[in-house]
Amino acid sequence: MFELLNPDATGVTFANKLPETGFNIVNYLYYYNGGGVAVGDIDGDGLPDLYFTSNIGPNKALSQ
């Protein structure tokens, strides 16, 4: 149903990288759940934008 596309084709280069910490998944569940993604008109141009959130690094907005 879905097709894996290369970042060159999509323009999405965001990666939520988590360094190995040795945290116990039971005690640090939200650390391992990852960040999130939202779709909305962030810049007000009437087109959908993507907003990626990161656990540790900077968040990133992608506009068309």
Side-chain angles (χ1 to χ4, degrees):
M1 181 184 294
F2 294 99
E3 179 182 347
L4 181 62
L5 298 174
N6 188 307
D8 293 333
T10 63
V12 177
T13 58
F14 180 82
N16 184 28
K17 296 182 180 182
L18 298 176
E20 288 295 324
T21 61
F23 288 160
N24 181 316
I25 193 167
V26 174
N27 294 330
Y28 295 94
L29 180 63
Y30 296 113
Y31 179 79
Y32 292 102
N33 277 349
V37 61
V39 178
D41 186 9
I42 297 169
D43 58 7
D45 65 358
L47 298 171
D49 304 309
L50 299 176
Y51 190 83
F52 296 92
T53 62
S54 174
N55 290 49
I56 296 176
N59 300 324
K60 185 173 183 181
L62 296 175
S63 300
Q64 294 183 354

Coordinates of all heavy atoms in Angstrom, one line a residue:
M1 N 0.8 -1.2 0.0 CA 0.0 0.0 0.0 C 0.9 1.3 0.0 O 0.5 2.2 -0.6 CB -0.9 0.0 1.2 CG -1.8 1.2 1.2 SD -2.9 1.4 2.7 CE -4.0 0.0 2.5
F2 N 2.0 1.2 0.7 CA 2.9 2.4 0.7 C 4.2 2.1 0.0 O 4.5 0.9 -0.2 CB 3.3 2.7 2.2 CG 2.1 3.2 3.0 CD1 1.4 2.3 3.8 CD2 1.6 4.5 2.9 CE1 0.3 2.8 4.6 CE2 0.6 5.0 3.6 CZ -0.1 4.1 4.5
E3 N 4.8 3.1 -0.5 CA 6.0 3.0 -1.3 C 7.1 3.8 -0.6 O 6.9 5.0 -0.3 CB 5.8 3.5 -2.7 CG 7.1 3.4 -3.6 CD 6.8 3.9 -5.0 OE1 5.6 4.1 -5.3 OE2 7.8 4.2 -5.7
L4 N 8.3 3.2 -0.3 CA 9.4 3.9 0.3 C 10.0 4.8 -0.7 O 10.4 4.4 -1.8 CB 10.4 2.9 0.8 CG 11.6 3.5 1.5 CD1 11.2 4.3 2.8 CD2 12.6 2.4 1.9
L5 N 10.1 6.1 -0.4 CA 10.7 7.1 -1.4 C 12.0 7.6 -0.8 O 12.1 7.8 0.4 CB 9.7 8.2 -1.6 CG 8.4 7.9 -2.2 CD1 7.4 9.1 -2.3 CD2 8.6 7.3 -3.6
N6 N 12.9 7.9 -1.7 CA 14.2 8.5 -1.3 C 14.0 9.9 -0.9 O 13.2 10.7 -1.4 CB 15.1 8.4 -2.6 CG 16.5 8.8 -2.3 OD1 16.8 9.8 -1.8 ND2 17.4 7.9 -2.7
P7 N 14.8 10.4 0.1 CA 14.7 11.8 0.5 C 15.0 12.8 -0.6 O 14.4 13.9 -0.5 CB 15.8 11.9 1.6 CG 16.0 10.5 2.1 CD 15.7 9.6 0.9
D8 N 15.7 12.4 -1.6 CA 15.9 13.3 -2.7 C 14.6 13.5 -3.5 O 14.4 14.6 -4.0 CB 16.9 12.7 -3.7 CG 18.3 12.7 -3.1 OD1 18.6 13.5 -2.2 OD2 19.1 11.8 -3.5
A9 N 13.7 12.5 -3.5 CA 12.4 12.7 -4.2 C 11.4 13.4 -3.4 O 10.5 14.1 -3.9 CB 11.9 11.3 -4.5
T10 N 11.5 13.3 -2.0 CA 10.5 13.9 -1.2 C 10.9 15.3 -0.6 O 10.0 16.1 -0.2 CB 10.1 13.0 0.0 OG1 11.3 12.8 0.8 CG2 9.6 11.6 -0.5
G11 N 12.2 15.5 -0.5 CA 12.7 16.7 0.2 C 12.7 16.6 1.7 O 13.0 17.5 2.4
V12 N 12.3 15.4 2.2 CA 12.3 15.2 3.7 C 13.6 14.6 4.1 O 13.9 13.5 3.7 CB 11.1 14.3 4.1 CG1 11.1 14.1 5.6 CG2 9.8 15.0 3.7
T13 N 14.4 15.4 4.9 CA 15.7 14.9 5.3 C 15.8 14.8 6.8 O 16.8 14.5 7.3 CB 16.8 15.8 4.8 OG1 16.6 17.1 5.2 CG2 16.8 15.8 3.3
F14 N 14.7 15.0 7.5 CA 14.7 15.0 9.0 C 14.9 13.6 9.5 O 14.4 12.6 9.0 CB 13.4 15.5 9.5 CG 13.3 15.6 11.0 CD1 13.8 16.6 11.7 CD2 12.7 14.5 11.7 CE1 13.7 16.6 13.1 CE2 12.6 14.5 13.1 CZ 13.1 15.6 13.8
A15 N 15.7 13.5 10.5 CA 15.9 12.2 11.2 C 15.9 12.4 12.7 O 16.7 13.3 13.2 CB 17.2 11.5 10.8
N16 N 15.1 11.7 13.5 CA 15.1 11.8 14.9 C 16.1 10.8 15.5 O 15.7 9.7 15.8 CB 13.7 11.6 15.5 CG 13.6 11.8 16.9 OD1 14.4 12.6 17.5 ND2 12.7 11.1 17.6
K17 N 17.4 11.2 15.6 CA 18.4 10.3 16.0 C 18.6 10.3 17.5 O 18.6 11.4 18.2 CB 19.7 10.7 15.4 CG 19.7 10.5 13.9 CD 21.0 10.8 13.2 CE 20.9 10.7 11.7 NZ 22.2 10.9 11.1
L18 N 18.6 9.1 18.1 CA 18.7 9.0 19.6 C 20.0 8.3 19.9 O 20.2 7.1 19.4 CB 17.6 8.1 20.2 CG 16.2 8.7 20.0 CD1 15.1 7.7 20.5 CD2 16.1 10.0 20.7
P19 N 20.9 8.9 20.6 CA 22.2 8.2 21.0 C 21.9 7.1 21.9 O 20.9 7.1 22.7 CB 23.0 9.3 21.6 CG 22.0 10.3 22.1 CD 20.8 10.2 21.2
E20 N 22.7 6.0 21.9 CA 22.5 4.9 22.8 C 22.9 5.4 24.2 O 23.9 6.0 24.4 CB 23.5 3.8 22.4 CG 23.0 3.0 21.2 CD 21.7 2.3 21.4 OE1 21.5 1.8 22.5 OE2 20.9 2.3 20.5
T21 N 22.0 5.2 25.2 CA 22.2 5.7 26.5 C 22.2 4.6 27.6 O 22.6 4.8 28.7 CB 21.0 6.7 26.9 OG1 19.8 6.0 26.8 CG2 21.0 7.9 25.9
G22 N 21.6 3.5 27.2 CA 21.5 2.4 28.2 C 20.3 2.6 29.1 O 20.1 1.9 30.1
F23 N 19.4 3.6 28.8 CA 18.2 3.9 29.6 C 17.3 2.6 29.5 O 17.2 2.0 28.5 CB 17.4 5.1 29.1 CG 18.0 6.4 29.4 CD1 17.7 7.5 28.7 CD2 19.0 6.6 30.4 CE1 18.2 8.8 28.9 CE2 19.5 7.8 30.6 CZ 19.1 8.9 29.9
N24 N 16.7 2.3 30.6 CA 15.8 1.2 30.7 C 14.5 1.7 30.1 O 13.9 2.7 30.4 CB 15.5 0.8 32.2 CG 14.6 -0.3 32.3 OD1 13.5 -0.4 31.7 ND2 14.9 -1.3 33.2
I25 N 13.9 0.9 29.1 CA 12.7 1.3 28.4 C 11.5 1.4 29.3 O 10.6 2.2 29.0 CB 12.5 0.3 27.2 CG1 11.4 0.9 26.3 CG2 12.0 -1.0 27.7 CD1 11.2 0.2 24.9
V26 N 11.5 0.7 30.4 CA 10.3 0.8 31.3 C 10.4 2.1 32.0 O 9.3 2.7 32.2 CB 10.4 -0.4 32.3 CG1 9.3 -0.2 33.4 CG2 10.2 -1.7 31.6
N27 N 11.5 2.6 32.4 CA 11.6 3.8 33.1 C 11.7 5.1 32.2 O 11.3 6.2 32.6 CB 12.9 3.8 34.0 CG 12.8 2.8 35.1 OD1 11.7 2.5 35.6 ND2 13.9 2.3 35.5
Y28 N 12.1 4.9 31.0 CA 12.3 6.0 30.0 C 11.5 5.7 28.7 O 12.0 5.9 27.6 CB 13.7 6.2 29.7 CG 14.5 6.6 30.9 CD1 15.2 5.7 31.7 CD2 14.6 7.9 31.2 CE1 15.9 6.0 32.8 CE2 15.3 8.3 32.3 CZ 16.0 7.4 33.1 OH 16.7 7.8 34.2
L29 N 10.2 5.3 28.9 CA 9.4 4.9 27.8 C 9.2 6.0 26.7 O 9.3 5.8 25.5 CB 8.0 4.5 28.3 CG 7.0 4.1 27.2 CD1 7.5 2.8 26.5 CD2 5.6 3.8 27.9
Y30 N 9.0 7.3 27.2 CA 8.8 8.4 26.2 C 10.1 8.7 25.4 O 10.0 9.3 24.3 CB 8.3 9.6 26.9 CG 6.9 9.3 27.5 CD1 6.7 9.3 28.9 CD2 5.8 9.0 26.6 CE1 5.4 9.0 29.4 CE2 4.6 8.7 27.1 CZ 4.4 8.7 28.5 OH 3.1 8.4 29.0
Y31 N 11.2 8.4 26.0 CA 12.5 8.6 25.3 C 12.5 7.7 24.0 O 13.0 8.2 22.9 CB 13.7 8.3 26.2 CG 15.0 8.5 25.5 CD1 15.6 9.7 25.4 CD2 15.7 7.4 25.0 CE1 16.8 9.9 24.7 CE2 17.0 7.5 24.4 CZ 17.5 8.8 24.3 OH 18.7 8.9 23.7
Y32 N 12.1 6.5 24.1 CA 12.1 5.6 23.0 C 10.9 5.6 22.1 O 10.9 5.1 21.0 CB 12.3 4.2 23.6 CG 13.6 3.9 24.2 CD1 13.8 3.9 25.6 CD2 14.8 3.8 23.4 CE1 15.0 3.8 26.1 CE2 16.0 3.6 23.9 CZ 16.1 3.6 25.3 OH 17.4 3.4 25.9
N33 N 9.8 6.3 22.5 CA 8.7 6.4 21.6 C 8.9 7.3 20.4 O 8.2 7.2 19.5 CB 7.5 7.0 22.4 CG 6.8 5.9 23.2 OD1 7.0 4.7 23.0 ND2 5.9 6.3 24.1
G34 N 9.9 8.2 20.5 CA 10.2 9.0 19.4 C 9.5 10.4 19.4 O 8.7 10.7 20.4
G35 N 9.7 11.2 18.4 CA 9.1 12.5 18.3 C 7.8 12.4 17.6 O 7.1 11.4 17.7
G36 N 7.4 13.4 16.9 CA 6.1 13.4 16.2 C 6.2 14.2 14.9 O 7.2 14.8 14.6
V37 N 5.1 14.2 14.2 CA 5.0 14.9 13.0 C 3.6 15.5 12.9 O 2.6 14.8 13.3 CB 5.3 14.0 11.7 CG1 4.3 12.9 11.6 CG2 5.3 14.9 10.5
A38 N 3.5 16.7 12.4 CA 2.2 17.3 12.2 C 2.1 17.9 10.8 O 3.1 18.3 10.2 CB 2.0 18.4 13.2
V39 N 0.9 18.0 10.3 CA 0.7 18.7 9.0 C -0.3 19.9 9.2 O -1.3 19.7 9.8 CB 0.0 17.7 8.0 CG1 -0.2 18.4 6.6 CG2 0.9 16.5 7.8
G40 N 0.1 21.0 8.7 CA -0.7 22.2 8.8 C -0.1 23.3 8.1 O 1.0 23.3 7.6
D41 N -0.8 24.4 7.9 CA -0.3 25.6 7.2 C 0.4 26.5 8.2 O -0.1 27.4 8.8 CB -1.5 26.3 6.6 CG -1.0 27.5 5.7 OD1 0.2 27.6 5.5 OD2 -1.8 28.3 5.3
I42 N 1.7 26.1 8.4 CA 2.5 26.8 9.4 C 2.9 28.2 9.0 O 2.9 29.2 9.8 CB 3.8 26.0 9.7 CG1 3.4 24.6 10.3 CG2 4.7 26.7 10.7 CD1 4.5 23.6 10.5
D43 N 3.2 28.4 7.7 CA 3.7 29.7 7.2 C 2.6 30.6 6.6 O 2.9 31.7 6.1 CB 4.9 29.5 6.2 CG 4.5 28.6 5.0 OD1 3.3 28.3 4.9 OD2 5.4 28.3 4.3
G44 N 1.4 30.1 6.6 CA 0.2 30.9 6.1 C 0.1 31.1 4.6 O -0.6 32.0 4.2
D45 N 0.7 30.2 3.8 CA 0.6 30.4 2.4 C -0.5 29.6 1.8 O -0.6 29.5 0.5 CB 2.0 30.0 1.7 CG 2.4 28.5 1.9 OD1 1.6 27.8 2.6 OD2 3.4 28.1 1.4
G46 N -1.3 28.9 2.6 CA -2.4 28.1 2.1 C -2.1 26.7 1.7 O -2.9 26.0 1.2
L47 N -0.8 26.3 1.8 CA -0.3 25.0 1.5 C 0.0 24.2 2.7 O 0.4 24.8 3.7 CB 0.9 25.0 0.5 CG 0.7 25.7 -0.8 CD1 2.0 25.9 -1.5 CD2 -0.3 24.9 -1.7
P48 N -0.1 22.9 2.7 CA 0.2 22.1 3.9 C 1.7 22.0 4.1 O 2.5 21.9 3.1 CB -0.4 20.7 3.6 CG -0.5 20.6 2.1 CD -0.7 22.0 1.6
D49 N 2.1 22.2 5.3 CA 3.5 22.1 5.7 C 3.7 20.9 6.7 O 2.7 20.5 7.3 CB 4.0 23.4 6.4 CG 3.8 24.6 5.6 OD1 4.2 24.6 4.4 OD2 3.2 25.6 6.1
L50 N 4.9 20.4 6.7 CA 5.2 19.3 7.7 C 6.0 19.9 8.8 O 6.9 20.7 8.6 CB 6.0 18.2 7.0 CG 5.3 17.5 5.8 CD1 6.3 16.5 5.2 CD2 4.1 16.8 6.3
Y51 N 5.7 19.5 10.1 CA 6.5 19.9 11.2 C 6.9 18.7 12.0 O 6.1 17.9 12.4 CB 5.7 20.8 12.1 CG 6.5 21.5 13.2 CD1 7.2 22.6 12.9 CD2 6.6 21.0 14.5 CE1 8.0 23.2 13.9 CE2 7.4 21.5 15.4 CZ 8.1 22.7 15.2 OH 8.8 23.3 16.1
F52 N 8.2 18.4 12.1 CA 8.8 17.3 12.8 C 9.3 17.7 14.1 O 10.0 18.7 14.2 CB 9.9 16.7 11.9 CG 9.5 16.1 10.6 CD1 9.5 16.9 9.5 CD2 9.0 14.8 10.5 CE1 9.1 16.4 8.2 CE2 8.6 14.3 9.3 CZ 8.6 15.1 8.1
T53 N 9.0 16.9 15.1 CA 9.6 17.2 16.5 C 10.6 16.1 16.8 O 10.5 14.9 16.4 CB 8.5 17.2 17.6 OG1 7.9 15.9 17.6 CG2 7.5 18.3 17.3
S54 N 11.6 16.5 17.6 CA 12.7 15.6 17.9 C 12.8 15.4 19.4 O 12.3 16.3 20.2 CB 14.0 16.3 17.5 OG 15.1 15.6 17.9
N55 N 13.3 14.3 19.8 CA 13.4 14.0 21.3 C 14.5 14.9 21.9 O 14.4 15.4 23.0 CB 13.8 12.5 21.5 CG 12.6 11.6 21.2 OD1 12.0 11.7 20.2 ND2 12.4 10.7 22.1
I56 N 15.6 15.0 21.2 CA 16.8 15.7 21.7 C 17.2 16.8 20.9 O 17.5 17.9 21.4 CB 18.0 14.7 21.9 CG1 17.6 13.6 22.9 CG2 19.2 15.4 22.3 CD1 18.6 12.5 23.0
G57 N 17.3 16.7 19.6 CA 17.8 17.7 18.7 C 16.7 18.8 18.3 O 15.6 18.8 18.9
P58 N 17.1 19.6 17.4 CA 16.1 20.7 17.0 C 14.9 20.1 16.2 O 15.1 19.1 15.5 CB 17.0 21.6 16.1 CG 18.1 20.7 15.6 CD 18.3 19.7 16.7
N59 N 13.8 20.8 16.3 CA 12.6 20.5 15.5 C 12.8 21.1 14.1 O 13.7 21.9 14.0 CB 11.4 21.0 16.1 CG 11.1 20.4 17.5 OD1 11.4 19.3 17.8 ND2 10.6 21.3 18.4
K60 N 12.0 20.6 13.2 CA 12.2 21.2 11.8 C 10.9 21.3 11.1 O 10.0 20.4 11.1 CB 13.1 20.3 11.0 CG 13.5 20.8 9.6 CD 14.5 19.9 8.9 CE 14.9 20.5 7.6 NZ 15.8 19.7 6.9
A61 N 10.6 22.4 10.4 CA 9.4 22.7 9.6 C 9.9 22.6 8.2 O 10.9 23.1 7.8 CB 8.8 24.0 9.9
L62 N 9.0 21.9 7.4 CA 9.3 21.8 5.9 C 8.1 22.4 5.2 O 7.0 22.0 5.4 CB 9.4 20.3 5.5 CG 10.7 19.6 6.1 CD1 10.6 18.2 5.6 CD2 11.9 20.3 5.6
S63 N 8.4 23.5 4.4 CA 7.3 24.1 3.6 C 7.5 23.8 2.2 O 8.6 23.6 1.7 CB 7.4 25.6 3.9 OG 7.2 26.0 5.2
Q64 N 6.4 23.9 1.4 CA 6.5 23.6 0.0 C 7.0 24.8 -0.7 O 6.9 25.9 -0.4 CB 5.1 23.2 -0.6 CG 4.7 21.9 0.0 CD 3.3 21.5 -0.6 OE1 2.7 22.3 -1.4 NE2 2.9 20.3 -0.3

